[in-house]
């Protein structure tokens, strides 16, 4: 099955309500819903409100009735597939590269932006001037655990390109972007990052937590590698570390995800080399 | 993307290319954690220093430069810079000169000095005054002009003839409006008086000050004996009238005359305090009143390579901060962490700090508060030993720092100073 499109596609999400439905985020700002069981080459629905590139879409994992999109136009939008117009617009006022629903809390979603901030919204909060925004964490802030040394390591703001919610540890998120550092945060302790995972040589374009293990995550980077990391699982005694490095891509690696149904550790990645690599993470862990 | 205007595709491309450039770019803010390595990377658009020289510093009112006007010192320095660097003067687009005491900022005389030195009329000149950081500000301004593409090659410089221009004429009378505002009125409290106050408030003892000052003298003497200033000092030949005999003669000045042997903390301990009977500050633990000029030639790395200029090091970033006017001495303490943060490095990743010794009291306090290793600070001594020609010092430090980093095979340096009326400046440099 292949669908022709008029513009680049930057993200894709499976519908959580219909096994044949697939949602795409497009460079022309549109979100399009396809039914892979139908033959026509056309989407079954098009959602056109974003004025610039729609760079991410995410299906609500808890209530399943809605999905979210984020765009370079500085907005996150919430949609119901049965309605043409968005249900809600959450402004970030900054080019927004990634949005994700919390897998644990219904109505909670997050985004990371060019302005180096992680935003969290809780749609259960009453409508008010702050548009359900409950947290706005500077990603570049000094690590939380560092004691009050004279000069803490400090970081300039840097565009955040990707983030993901941990599937096991409620409230834990990871972010990454142009400054090449993957950071973990706990929204219950929003002062600063818990862990810094460093190693990528260029911007990190995509990160995703393991569906099988609470401490494992995968990343894809402009340095053409995909890497596997542990953040120590929230245990201070276990160090955060890079566990493996998959260097088979010959161009920017822009996407990576885990296989939910095969063996634990199977992954697929894509990149500007016009290839999808299907691999076993364990084969790259020395 | 058939439906897109070409500029939209271009916009998208440039946004994605930002993902790559801003993280690995040395003159942009390097990302944290990779700080030192990122700073040491070489990029074609780095702003580099290819020549950094100065005149010897001599004592205000006494030394052999006492009869030489500031503009003449500057002209001699420019001539020396041209002969040392062998740069084609027609390639220099702008010159900034820091100076504190000159009436009218020296704007007219310095343009004339550039012409005398052999720069063509096409080379622009301006003067500026940010008190004791004027020389650094001049270098930073030129570096920023190069970064933004306004000019390709420029000179940051500084000059001060304290012999001929030091005095009450340098500051206009304060109006009632300023006098009646407390913090504003504090801006004209004399440096010595407020440093004395700061020394007692911040509990910097006379012993600590004298020990620091003696060490400055000892380091400078040793450096002078070993010829460690030879790369930064270029001799100047001037007319000098001996105040005793009234005889005018031509002298060639080759070294700083403030540096003296035999100075110890004990010998300094005997000097009477200058500003109050119970005070701790005296001529021996404060910077010397001096005459001198310094100049730094700056351009992009790509330009330096194209025209065959030798690269001494590069400019990374600078900071300027404000502090209470009465505590102007704490300026470096506030400015240095800001510059380091911009550079993405920690204080321990810096190999040498050149921090101006306006007064031993403020310098000692800043070092202690910042927790700097004393061995890394002013390894060839400082203004207490060889002088502080106000507007010149910032430009002088660049050469002092880069030549010492290169000699010792070290890399990262910081120059910084406190600034009268309550400011601080700092800049990060990398030697190559």
């Amino acid at each position: 099955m292949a669908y022709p499109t008029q513009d680049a596609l930057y993200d894709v999400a499976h519908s959580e309500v219909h096994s044949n439905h697939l949602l795409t985020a497009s460079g022309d700002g549109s979100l399009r819903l396809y039914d892979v069981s139908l033959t026509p080459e056309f989407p079954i629905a098009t959602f056109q409100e974003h004025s610039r590139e729609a760079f991410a879409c995410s299906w609500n994992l808890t209530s399943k009735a809605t999905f979210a999109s984020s765009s370079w136009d500085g907005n996150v939008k919430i949609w119901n597939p049965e309605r043409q117009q968005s249900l809600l617009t959450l402004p970030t006022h900054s080019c927004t590269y990634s949005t994700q629903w919390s897998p644990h809390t219904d109505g909670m979603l997050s985004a990371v932006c060019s302005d180096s901030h992680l935003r969290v919204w809780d749609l259960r909060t009453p409508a008010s001037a702050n548009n359900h925004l409950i947290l706005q964490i500077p990603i570049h802030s000094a690590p939380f655990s560092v004691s009050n040394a004279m000069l803490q390591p400090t970081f300039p703001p840097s565009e955040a390109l990707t983030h993901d919610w941990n599937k096991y540890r409620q409230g834990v998120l990871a972010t990454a972007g142009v400054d090449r550092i993957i950071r973990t945060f706990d929204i219950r302790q929003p002062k600063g990052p818990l862990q810094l995972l460093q190693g990528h040589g260029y911007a990190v374009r995509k990160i995703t937590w393991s569906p099988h293990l609470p401490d494992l995550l995968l990343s894809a980077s402009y340095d053409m590698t995909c890497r596997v990391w542990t953040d120590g699982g929230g245990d201070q005694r276990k160090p955060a570390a890079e566990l493996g490095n998959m260097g088979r891509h010959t161009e920017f690696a822009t996407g990576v995800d885990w296989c939910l149904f095969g063996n634990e550790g199977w992954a697929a990645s894509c990149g500007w080399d016009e290839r999808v690599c299907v691999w076993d993470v364990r084969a790259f862990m020395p | 993307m058939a439906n897109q205007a070409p500029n939209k595709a271009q916009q998208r491309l440039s946004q994605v290319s930002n993902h790559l450039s801003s993280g690995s770019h040395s003159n942009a803010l390097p990302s944290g954690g990779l700080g030192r390595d990122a700073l040491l990377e070489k990029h074609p658009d780095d702003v580099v220093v290819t020549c950094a020289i100065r005149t010897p510093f001599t004592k205000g009112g006494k030394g052999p430069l006492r009869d030489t006007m500031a503009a003449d010192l500057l002209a001699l320095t420019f001539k020396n810079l041209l002969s040392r660097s062998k740069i084609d003067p027609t390639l220099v687009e702008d010159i900034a000169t820091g100076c504190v005491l000159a009436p009218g900022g020296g704007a007219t005389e310095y343009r004339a000095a550039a012409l005398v030195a052999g720069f063509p009329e096409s080379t622009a000149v301006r003067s500026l005054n940010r008190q004791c950081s004027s020389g650094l500000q001049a270098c930073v301004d030129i570096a920023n002009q190069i970064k933004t593409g306004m000019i390709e090659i420029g000179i940051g410089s500084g000059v001060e003839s304290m012999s001929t221009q030091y005095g009450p004429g340098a500051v206009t009378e304060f109006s009632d409006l300023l006098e009646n505002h407390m913090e504003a009125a504090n801006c004209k409290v004399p440096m010595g008086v407020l440093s004395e106050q700061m020394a007692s408030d911040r509990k910097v003892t006379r012993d600590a000050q004298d020990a620091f000052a003696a060490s400055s003298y000892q380091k400078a003497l040793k450096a002078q004996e070993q010829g460690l200033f030879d790369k930064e000092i270029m001799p100047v030949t001037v007319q000098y009238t001996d105040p005793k005999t009234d005889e005018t003669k031509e002298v060639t000045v080759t070294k700083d005359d403030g540096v003296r042997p035999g100075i110890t903390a004990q010998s300094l301990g005997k000097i009477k305090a200058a500003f109050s009977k119970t005070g701790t500050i005296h001529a021996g633990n404060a910077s010397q009143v001096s005459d001198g000029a310094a100049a730094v030639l700056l351009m992009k790395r790509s330009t330096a390579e194209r025209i065959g200029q030798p690269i001494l090091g590069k400019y990374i970033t600078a900071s300027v901060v404000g502090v209470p006017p009465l505590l102007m001495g704490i300026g470096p303490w506030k400015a240095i962490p800001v510059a380091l943060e911009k550079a993405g490095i920690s204080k321990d990743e810096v190999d040498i700090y050149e921090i101006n010794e306006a007064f031993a009291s403020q310098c000692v306090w800043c070092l202690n508060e910042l927790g700097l290793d004393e061995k890394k600070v002013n390894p060839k001594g400082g203004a207490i030993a060889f002088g502080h020609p106000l507007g010149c010092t910032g430009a002088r430090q660049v050469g002092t720092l880069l030549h010492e980093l290169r000699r010792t095979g070290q890399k990262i340096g910081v120059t910084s100073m406190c600034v009268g009326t309550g400011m601080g400046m700092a800049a990060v440099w990398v030697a190559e």
Side-chain angles (χ1 to χ4, degrees):
Chain A
M1 189 72 65
Y3 298 96
T5 59
Q6 294 286 320
D7 204 324
L9 298 181
Y10 291 116
D11 202 7
V12 59
H14 280 281
S15 164
E16 296 290 327
V17 280
H18 198 302
S19 60
N20 287 331
H21 285 185
L22 209 57
L23 182 72
T24 62
S26 168
D28 64 6
S30 69
L31 287 300
R32 287 164 200 258
L33 193 64
Y34 295 88
D35 186 324
V36 295
S37 65
L38 300 177
T39 35
E41 307 187 316
F42 311 111
I44 55 170
T46 299
F47 309 91
Q48 179 79 60
E49 284 185 18
H50 286 300
S51 59
R52 289 207 60 193
E53 288 80 346
F55 212 68
C57 56
S58 166
W59 210 284
N60 188 332
L61 298 167
T62 48
S63 85
K64 307 188 179 186
T66 52
F67 62 86
S69 62
S70 75
S71 161
W72 294 7
D73 69 3
N75 288 308
V76 171
K77 285 177 182 281
I78 315 287
W79 311 78
N80 180 307
E82 284 152 21
R83 288 173 56 122
Q84 200 72 53
Q85 277 79 40
S86 61
L87 302 174
L88 209 55
T89 297
L90 307 170
T92 62
H93 309 292
S94 172
C95 172
T96 307
Y97 285 106
S98 166
T99 186
Q100 292 282 341
W101 292 93
S102 160
H104 297 283
T105 310
D106 188 18
M108 191 178 276
L109 78 161
S110 56
V112 295
C113 309
S114 262
D115 67 359
S116 195
H117 280 73
L118 166 66
R119 289 174 174 79
V120 181
W121 294 270
D122 189 340
L123 304 183
R124 299 168 303 178
T125 57
S128 72
N130 58 8
N131 285 306
H132 307 287
L133 185 68
I134 56 165
L135 271 179
Q136 197 167 341
I137 306 174
I139 292 169
H140 54 277
S141 48
F144 173 69
S145 54
V146 172
S147 60
N148 286 329
M150 192 61 209
L151 284 172
Q152 288 193 356
T154 50
F155 304 93
S158 163
E159 287 193 287
L161 302 178
T162 175
H163 78 303
D164 193 27
W165 291 83
N166 190 289
K167 310 299 186 287
Y168 291 89
R169 291 143 62 198
Q170 192 163 354
V172 172
L173 282 147
T175 69
V178 169
D179 73 358
R180 318 172 221 184
I181 304 171
I182 301 168
R183 295 173 171 82
T184 60
F185 292 87
D186 188 330
I187 60 166
R188 292 163 298 188
Q189 187 54 268
K191 283 237 173 67
L194 303 173
Q195 294 283 8
L196 269 57
L197 304 171
Q198 304 189 52
H200 274 301
Y202 282 104
V204 181
R205 182 63 178 271
K206 180 77 183 171
I207 52 174
T208 175
W209 286 98
S210 165
H212 299 111
L213 293 165
D215 66 318
L216 219 58
L217 83 163
L218 268 177
S219 58
S221 159
Y222 283 100
D223 71 4
M224 306 187 205
T225 67
C226 294
R227 301 187 193 206
V228 53
W229 311 80
T230 173
D231 78 327
D235 184 342
Q236 292 296 330
R237 288 163 298 176
K238 288 190 189 159
E242 181 182 327
L243 300 176
N245 183 334
M246 198 286 283
R248 297 287 172 82
H249 280 290
T250 56
E251 259 296 344
F252 303 149
T254 54
V256 65
D257 205 359
W258 300 88
C259 177
L260 294 174
F261 303 107
N263 275 347
E264 201 174 294
W266 286 6
S269 55
C270 63
W272 284 28
D273 55 6
E274 303 180 12
R275 290 193 301 165
V276 173
C277 291
V278 179
W279 42 293
D280 188 336
V281 166
R282 289 165 299 184
F284 293 92
M285 290 164 56
Chain B
M1 300 190 197
N3 61 341
Q4 287 177 357
N7 68 337
K8 189 165 181 202
Q10 195 56 51
Q11 251 181 2
R12 189 181 291 174
L13 194 61
S14 82
Q15 180 143 357
V16 171
S17 71
N18 280 342
H19 296 175
L20 293 170
S21 56
S22 42
S24 59
H25 198 287
S26 73
N27 267 338
L29 303 176
S31 41
L34 297 158
R36 189 177 168 98
D37 290 343
L39 287 199
L40 300 185
E41 281 175 19
K42 293 177 183 175
H43 297 275
D45 56 352
D46 290 340
V47 175
V48 298
V49 173
T50 66
C51 187
I53 55 139
R54 66 173 172 101
T55 65
F57 289 175
T58 68
K59 290 181 192 169
K62 294 182 222 158
L65 299 178
R66 56 170 282 212
D67 301 318
T68 308
M69 305 301 278
D72 294 20
L73 285 173
L74 194 64
L76 292 168
T77 306
F78 287 158
K79 271 187 190 165
N80 281 337
L81 182 90
L82 289 174
S83 80
R84 168 77 63 88
S85 68
K86 300 188 183 62
I87 189 159
D88 175 356
T90 61
L91 297 177
V92 177
E93 286 164 86
D94 198 10
I95 297 174
T97 300
C99 178
V100 177
L101 300 173
T108 310
E109 308 94 278
Y110 302 159
R111 165 72 167 164
L115 294 170
V116 167
F119 287 101
E121 64 197 23
S122 59
T123 302
V125 179
R126 78 172 183 288
S127 67
L128 62 94
N129 186 351
R130 198 198 281 284
Q131 314 277 11
C132 303
S133 68
S134 302
L136 175 57
Q137 186 68 57
C139 295
V140 170
D141 281 1
I142 292 292
N144 287 337
Q145 282 173 257
I146 294 168
K147 264 192 192 180
T148 60
M150 182 182 171
I151 60 169
E152 198 177 355
I153 300 177
I155 293 172
S157 57
V159 64
E160 207 70 66
S161 170
M162 295 181 79
S163 295
T164 61
Q165 293 177 319
Y166 194 32
V171 184
T172 318
E173 276 293 300
F174 265 33
S175 65
D176 288 345
L177 182 68
L178 306 189
E179 287 286 9
N180 292 332
H181 182 286
M182 192 179 74
E183 201 63 326
N186 284 341
C187 289
K188 64 163 200 183
V189 174
M191 295 297 126
V193 175
L194 65 85
S195 292
E196 193 67 85
Q197 190 61 41
M198 178 185 158
S200 76
D201 285 355
R202 298 291 165 110
K203 306 205 169 23
V204 186
T205 62
R206 167 93 189 238
D207 289 349
Q209 294 177 43
D210 288 348
F212 180 84
S215 134
S216 179
Y217 274 107
Q218 289 154 10
K219 286 185 287 188
L221 181 67
K222 198 166 163 207
Q224 199 176 59
E225 285 168 355
Q226 292 174 348
L228 304 189
F229 293 113
D230 293 356
K231 284 213 164 79
E232 59 177 276
I233 294 179
M234 291 189 74
V236 288
T237 302
V238 296
Q239 298 288 325
Y240 165 72
T241 306
D242 191 319
K244 287 179 195 135
T245 59
D246 236 8
E247 180 194 355
T248 298
K249 57 186 174 190
E250 196 175 86
V251 290
T252 297
V253 191
T254 58
K255 60 176 194 173
D256 302 330
D257 70 356
V259 181
R260 306 193 286 276
I263 293 193
T264 61
Q266 290 71 35
S267 73
L268 293 178
K270 293 177 194 136
I271 306 175
K272 218 169 80 183
F275 301 101
S276 94
K277 274 181 198 147
T278 56
T280 56
I281 294 176
H282 54 80
N285 64 19
S287 56
Q288 297 186 27
V289 171
S290 307
D291 304 323
V296 178
L297 179 58
L298 293 145
M299 64 194 73
K300 280 215 172 105
R301 180 185 304 280
S302 52
T303 310
E305 286 170 353
R306 177 165 53 81
I307 64 175
Q309 282 283 311
I311 295 170
L312 305 181
K314 69 176 170 183
Y315 164 77
I316 302 292
T317 187
S319 64
V320 62
V321 300
V323 296
L326 287 185
L327 291 176
M328 69 96 195
I330 68 174
W333 161 80
K334 192 166 175 194
I336 290 173
V338 177
L340 294 179
E341 179 175 347
K342 285 178 197 291
I345 51 171
S346 73
K347 70 176 165 64
D348 299 322
E349 287 174 294
V350 175
D351 298 312
I352 295 180
Y353 289 89
E354 275 292 331
I355 301 176
N356 188 41
E357 301 168 351
F359 296 92
S361 57
Q362 56 82 219
C363 216
V364 166
W365 186 85
C366 290
L367 304 194
N368 290 343
E369 286 298 309
L370 288 170
L372 302 184
D373 179 356
E374 219 169 290
K375 284 200 247 4
K376 288 184 173 184
V377 180
N378 303 350
K380 295 193 282 192
I384 289 173
F386 49 72
H388 173 30
L390 311 174
C392 165
T393 290
R396 185 275 296 170
Q397 286 180 322
V398 179
T400 309
L401 173 75
L402 289 179
H403 290 302
E404 181 64 6
L405 284 171
R406 281 161 62 84
R407 186 186 71 82
T408 54
Q410 301 182 92
K411 290 292 175 198
I412 299 182
V414 165
T415 63
S416 180
M417 68 285 287
C418 57
V419 181
T421 70
M423 290 182 278
M425 254 191 106
V428 181
W429 308 83
V430 171
E432 293 181 9

